[in-house]
């Protein structure tokens, strides 16, 4: 068998393996989302009912302020659980599309109070296909989580650019940055494998993923996808 045929077979195998991994991840995330919505959400709602009842019984109590504070915390938690369960569910991307799903994710991050978030859309939005948009959304989620965990910044900007020949998704944070080359070469390191995972997913879509950063500078993730590319 010729060398080129071997390379083609290996690439096809890697693409199918990555697609399977993504499908398994989506199924797992959807299950977690359902558990959050159906069980944790219901338990929090029951707790809210009990707290409201207690608040009415202790209307003149010196503890009422503490009860009100607890009610506010539980109410916020219920909202966050509902928002998180939506972003874990791939059906959210199928129902609302990539742009609105990104809005929901950024709103959820904003509510934590740790980051200011911005979404900038250029061009006229068009569909990239359900599977491609789901994978793009997972890439965005992973990039956002990396920024939240490691950047030490205060603001995140997400930009989507719908052009006639390509689609571009950019995630930028104002954090402390890092040495991309140094991290990428860590074969057994979680951070290094995480960067490679982003690039592999973009490659699966027929596109590219470029991570730009330096110590003391912002970090930017750019995903460029040809408009006609398909999984």
């Amino acid at each position: 068998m010729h060398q080129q045929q071997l390379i083609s077979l290996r690439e096809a195998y890697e693409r199918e393996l990555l697609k399977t991994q993504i499908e398994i991840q989506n199924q797992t995330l959807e299950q977690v989302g359902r558990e959050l919505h159906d069980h944790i959400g219901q338990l929090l709602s029951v707790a809210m009912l009990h707290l409201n009842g207690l608040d009415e019984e202790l209307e003149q109590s010196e503890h009422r302020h503490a009860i009100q504070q607890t009610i506010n915390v539980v109410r916020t938690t219920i909202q966050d659980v509902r928002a998180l369960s939506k972003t874990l569910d791939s059906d959210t991307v199928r129902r609302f599309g990539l742009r609105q799903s990104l809005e929901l994710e950024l709103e959820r991050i904003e509510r934590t109070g740790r980051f200011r978030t911005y979404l900038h859309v250029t061009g006229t939005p068009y569909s990239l296909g359900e599977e491609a948009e789901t994978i793009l959304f997972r890439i965005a989620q992973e990039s956002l989580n990396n920024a939240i965990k490691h950047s030490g910044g205060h603001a995140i900007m997400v930009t989507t650019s719908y052009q006639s020949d390509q689609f571009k998704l950019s995630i930028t944070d104002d954090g402390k940055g890092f040495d991309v080359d140094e991290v990428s070469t860590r074969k057994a390191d979680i951070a290094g494998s995480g960067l490679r995972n982003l690039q592999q997913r973009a490659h699966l879509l027929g596109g590219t993923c470029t991570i730009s950063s330096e110590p003391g500078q912002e970090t930017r993730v750019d995903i460029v996808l040809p408009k006609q590319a398909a999984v």
Side-chain angles (χ1 to χ4, degrees), residues 73-220:
V73 170
V74 174
R75 181 181 293 115
T76 300
T77 304
I78 290 173
Q79 293 172 348
D80 289 345
V81 166
R82 287 174 177 168
L84 180 58
S85 67
K86 285 182 180 179
T87 61
L88 293 177
D89 189 350
S90 297
D91 282 339
T92 299
V93 183
R94 299 188 187 104
R95 287 197 305 269
F96 302 115
L98 179 62
R99 182 183 61 80
Q100 194 167 346
S101 298
L102 288 170
E103 287 179 354
L104 290 171
E105 182 72 356
L106 293 179
E107 286 172 6
R108 183 182 69 81
I109 294 171
E110 184 96 25
R111 278 198 297 271
T112 67
R114 292 179 55 196
F115 283 84
R116 301 185 306 278
T117 63
Y118 307 91
L119 176 62
H120 183 57
V121 180
T122 62
T124 302
Y126 48 75
S127 174
L128 296 161
E130 290 181 359
E131 191 169 7
E133 291 195 348
T134 298
I135 294 173
L136 283 168
F137 182 59
R138 296 301 182 213
I139 292 174
Q141 279 186 313
E142 188 164 346
S143 300
L144 290 167
N145 286 335
N146 288 340
I148 291 169
K149 290 178 182 179
H150 306 298
S151 74
H154 304 286
I156 299 173
M157 166 71 81
V158 175
T159 302
T160 59
S161 176
Y162 294 85
Q163 302 173 23
S164 60
D165 60 338
Q166 66 180 20
F167 168 81
K168 185 175 181 179
L169 170 66
S170 300
I171 300 100
T172 306
D173 68 66
D174 65 344
K176 59 188 177 183
F178 63 98
D179 187 324
V180 177
D181 292 334
E182 190 271 329
V183 172
S184 298
T185 55
R186 300 179 193 164
K187 293 185 178 180
D189 186 87
I190 293 176
S193 62
L195 296 185
R196 290 190 293 275
N197 185 44
L198 295 178
Q199 293 168 334
Q200 288 172 348
R201 291 187 176 203
H203 181 67
L204 176 64
L205 295 174
T208 61
C209 175
T210 305
I211 298 103
S212 306
S213 186
E214 294 179 23
Q217 301 293 325
E218 66 181 24
T219 297
R220 181 184 179 100

Side-chain angles (χ1 to χ4, degrees), residues 7-23 131 135 199-207 225 228-231:
I7 294 173
S8 297
L9 283 173
R10 180 178 179 179
E11 289 179 348
Y13 170 76
E14 290 177 346
R15 285 171 64 86
E16 288 303 316
L17 180 61
L18 183 56
K19 286 179 69 173
T20 301
Q21 291 172 340
I22 291 171
E23 288 171 4
E131 191 169 7
I135 294 173
Q199 293 168 334
Q200 288 172 348
R201 291 187 176 203
H203 181 67
L204 176 64
L205 295 174
L225 178 66
Q228 301 303 321
V231 179

